[in-house]
Every structure is written in C-alpha cells, then in structure tokens.
Amino acid sequence: MTTPEPQSPSPRPSAPEPKDRVYRSPAGILGGVLLLALVAWLGIDAVVSGEGDTPWKALAVMLLVVPLAAAYTVRPAVFANEERLRVRNPLRVVVLPWDQVASLRSGYSNEVYGQDGTKYQLWAIPVSLRARKKAAQREERRLAGDTRGRGGLGGPTGGARGAGSGALADGPVRAEGDRAMDELRELLEARELRASEQGGAARGEAAQGGAAQGGVTVRWAYEVVAPAVAGAVLLAVLLGVG
C-alpha cells in the first residue's frame, strides 16, 4: 500500500496593489510641450544650417535645456493611495508612507510635512491665486442662486428649492489644486482613523507589517541631472575653446 505524498500548501494569492490617484498640472504639461517643441525646432535648425562649431553648441544647449525643461513642466506628478504618498518633483522622488506624514499645508505653494518636520513641495499641484479667486466668485454665484431658489414660488418644498439643495449637496466650488489637496487630506485622515481603530496608541501602528509603515525615501532624478550636467560641461568646453 502506497502512502500518498503530502500536498504542499497552495500559495496564498498576493493582495492586489492599491490603485494610485495621480495628480498633475495640465497647464504645466501644456507649457512644457510647447517649450520643448520650440527648443527642438530652434536646435535642429541650428544643427542643420549652422556653420563652424554652431551645431555642436546647439547640441550642447539642447542636452542642457531639454532635460531641465521636461523636469520642471512635464515630469512633476503626485501618486497617492491608501498606503503611501509618492511625490515626483523635478529633481527628486520622495516616497512617504502615511504614518510618516504629519500634515498637508496650502499657502502660496502646496506642501507635505514629514514627522521630522521636513518640508516637501508638491510641484505637480501648483497654487493658483487666480483660480482661487474664480472659484470664490463661482461659489458666491452658486450660493446666491440657491438663496433665490429658496425664496421662489416653489416655497420651501418646491422645485426651485430642490435644485438649490442639489447644488449644495455637490459641495462648495473649489480651485483644482485645492480640490486635490482636499482629497489628499481625506486619505491622511482615513489613515489616522484606521490607526486609532486598531488599538494603537501611536499614530501609524495600523496594519502591522503593512506598506503604510516605514521611513521616508528620497531618490535624486539622475536621469535628469546627468544629461543636464553633461550638456553644461560640453557647452562650457565649446565656449572656452571657441
């Protein structure tokens, strides 16, 4: 009689990666694309029709300008999920687990503060005072329209009031950058709530061994710095020789 071989336990399916919310600046991307197109047009024209060392200088300028222009316009992005906040700034990538985030602040720029007090600017979510002013004006008009609806012929239970209350249910009108910061604060508050519900006295004790714990990591964008430095060195050599 043969003894059946013990079956190895089937591996548990890994938990799916949390989906990121991505925040970028459409105006920055549009401006970056136009700027890169202009640099490419002028640079290629200088390379093709230039004389002497002009083509080499044009190549050096393009090698210097293109990475920096892309880094400060197209590259910035903020990726957020339930576990961590990843900030891709022009020259650095910062990953902050939520238990390492102390606060998110908005002033003349949007910023995230770590538990150690270090400040990281959110380049992908710029502050626009003009957009805030327009949002405030739209909010005033919305509230004024709702007030008129409440006092209309429909009465307190009429159709006009229903339209007004529906507008109020949508929440106040906010600028795009402010809405993005509101969503990030909601993720941070949800993280804090889960931490307190799991019985931890310290903030960030939720999900033992989870990805939301750990330290802040900062990585320099060498893919941007290296070609820009090479272009600057090459341009300096050409200017010095010429």
Side-chain angles (χ1 to χ4, degrees):
M1 182 177 179
T2 59
T3 303
E5 295 182 0
Q7 298 290 331
S8 59
S10 58
R12 295 181 179 179
S14 58
E17 289 291 330
K19 187 176 181 181
D20 284 338
R21 301 183 186 181
V22 184
Y23 302 93
R24 307 186 74 175
S25 172
I29 294 174
L30 177 60
V33 170
L34 295 176
L35 178 60
L36 291 172
L38 178 62
V39 172
W41 175 43
L42 296 176
I44 293 174
D45 179 69
V47 170
V48 172
S49 61
E51 298 178 354
D53 60 354
T54 299
W56 290 103
K57 289 180 180 179
L59 286 174
V61 170
M62 291 176 66
L63 190 59
L64 170 63
V65 172
V66 168
L68 295 178
Y72 281 90
T73 57
V74 180
R75 173 182 170 82
V78 173
F79 306 87
N81 57 37
E82 295 179 355
E83 297 178 349
R84 54 103 181 100
L85 179 68
R86 181 161 66 96
V87 181
R88 191 173 71 190
N89 281 340
L91 301 181
R92 294 192 301 176
V93 177
V94 184
V95 180
L96 303 100
W98 283 117
D99 65 342
Q100 294 295 326
V101 176
S103 62
L104 290 153
R105 303 180 189 178
S106 298
Y108 291 103
S109 64
N110 290 314
E111 302 152 350
V112 55
Y113 282 77
Q115 293 288 359
D116 59 355
T118 306
K119 177 180 70 175
Y120 305 98
Q121 187 173 349
L122 304 179
W123 280 80
I125 311 177
V127 170
S128 173
L129 299 180
R130 181 180 180 184
R132 283 181 177 175
K133 183 178 180 180
K134 287 184 176 180
Q137 292 173 347
R138 291 198 302 269
E139 176 66 6
E140 290 178 0
R141 289 195 296 267
R142 185 181 72 88
L143 293 177
D146 180 76
T147 302
R148 289 194 298 268
R150 289 174 182 270
L153 296 177
T157 59
R161 182 184 184 279
S165 60
L168 286 177
D170 294 336
V173 178
R174 301 273 283 166
E176 183 178 357
D178 293 334
R179 288 200 307 268
M181 293 298 291
D182 290 342
E183 293 180 5
L184 294 178
R185 291 189 183 97
E186 289 175 1
L187 287 173
L188 177 60
E189 292 170 359
R191 173 64 189 172
E192 292 173 337
L193 180 60
R194 289 195 301 271
S196 62
E197 288 177 349
Q198 292 192 6
R203 179 180 181 273
E205 284 188 357
Q208 296 180 359
Q213 294 180 321
V216 178
T217 60
V218 180
R219 180 183 69 83
W220 286 96
Y222 295 106
E223 64 274 18
V224 173
V225 176
V229 171
V233 172
L234 178 58
L235 182 60
V237 171
L238 291 173
L239 293 176
V241 172

